[in-house]
């Protein structure tokens, strides 16, 4: 974990309060990939191919040790901590837990005459791990979580893209 800071969440009816949060820098995770093979080996002029891609992704929050957390924090108190955690993450990252993100992109590929080219679209999301510190009675409970959010893409030209035929899987 890289940083600790006050979570600034108020105490509600004497229940648990998230007093601080340790969190790691976000990591990118691959949600999906799509390959686009473009074969212009028999062509005598450049080939232009336009493609539109659409992808959706969910914004998720989960306790990393879900059973341990549920055993440590019971019933309404667990619901309160989850609600406060979702509110804190919404404020900090500007995301709505349980929401969905949808992106569309239109790409144009050019392939020279006599070439075979293969591209890959990689759909990525951000993941952030953290630990909420929650006082419960006389003890402090560490509540590790994982939040997955956002959606973006990258385009890669795959190795081996050349005038040679594509290999069969």
């Amino acid at each position: 974990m890289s940083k600790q800071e006050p979570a600034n969440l108020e105490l509600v009816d004497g229940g648990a309060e998230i007093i601080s949060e340790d969190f790691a820098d976000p990591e990118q995770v691959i949600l999906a990939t799509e390959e686009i093979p473009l074969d212009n080996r028999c062509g005598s002029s450049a080939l232009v191919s336009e493609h539109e891609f659409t992808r959706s992704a969910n914004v998720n929050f989960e306790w990393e040790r879900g059973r341990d957390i549920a055993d440590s924090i019971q019933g309404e108190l667990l619901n309160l901590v989850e609600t406060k955690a979702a509110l804190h993450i919404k404020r900090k990252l500007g995301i709505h837990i349980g929401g969905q993100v949808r992106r569309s992109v239109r790409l144009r590929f050019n392939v020279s005459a006599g070439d075979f080219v293969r591209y890959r679209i990689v759909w990525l999301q951000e993941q952030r791990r953290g630990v909420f510190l929650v006082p419960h009675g006389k003890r402090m409970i560490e509540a590790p979580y994982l939040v997955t959010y956002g959606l973006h893409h990258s385009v890669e030209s795959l190795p081996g893209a050349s005038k040679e035929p594509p290999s069969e899987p």
Side-chain angles (χ1 to χ4, degrees), residues 20-39:
S20 65
E21 176 191 27
D22 257 351
F23 61 90
D25 293 330
E27 302 171 1
Q28 290 188 347
V29 293
I30 296 174
L31 177 65
T33 62
E34 300 179 57
E35 287 193 20
I36 302 93
L38 298 173
D39 188 352

Side-chain angles (χ1 to χ4, degrees), residues 5-21:
E5 66 181 37
N8 297 326
L9 296 175
E10 69 278 357
L11 189 64
V12 175
D13 298 326
E17 177 184 12
I18 298 172
I19 60 168
S20 65
E21 176 191 27

Side-chain angles (χ1 to χ4, degrees), residues 9-12 15-18 78-90 132:
L9 296 175
E10 69 278 357
L11 189 64
V12 175
E17 177 184 12
I18 298 172
L78 178 60
N79 291 338
L80 175 63
V81 171
E82 287 177 347
T83 299
K84 287 183 171 220
L87 178 62
H88 176 70
I89 288 169
K90 182 178 181 179
F132 287 117

Side-chain angles (χ1 to χ4, degrees), residues 136-156:
H136 184 55
K138 293 185 178 188
R139 60 190 180 125
M140 188 68 65
I141 298 171
E142 291 187 0
Y145 70 89
L146 174 69
V147 63
T148 306
Y149 59 96
L151 178 61
H152 60 278
H153 74 280
S154 67
V155 179
E156 302 173 347

Side-chain angles (χ1 to χ4, degrees), residues 37-47 110-119 160-166:
L38 298 173
D39 188 352
N40 195 18
R41 289 174 290 172
C42 296
S44 58
S45 61
L47 170 69
N110 295 304
V111 183
S112 300
D115 281 347
F116 174 84
V117 181
R118 193 176 296 193
Y119 294 98
S162 68
K163 296 182 184 208
E164 297 186 21

Side-chain angles (χ1 to χ4, degrees), residues 33-66:
T33 62
E34 300 179 57
E35 287 193 20
I36 302 93
L38 298 173
D39 188 352
N40 195 18
R41 289 174 290 172
C42 296
S44 58
S45 61
L47 170 69
V48 176
S49 182
E50 194 169 292
H51 302 261
E52 186 168 342
F53 302 91
T54 302
R55 178 66 59 179
S56 296
N58 295 321
V59 178
N60 294 315
F61 172 87
E62 61 188 72
W63 298 114
E64 288 221 86
R65 295 189 316 242

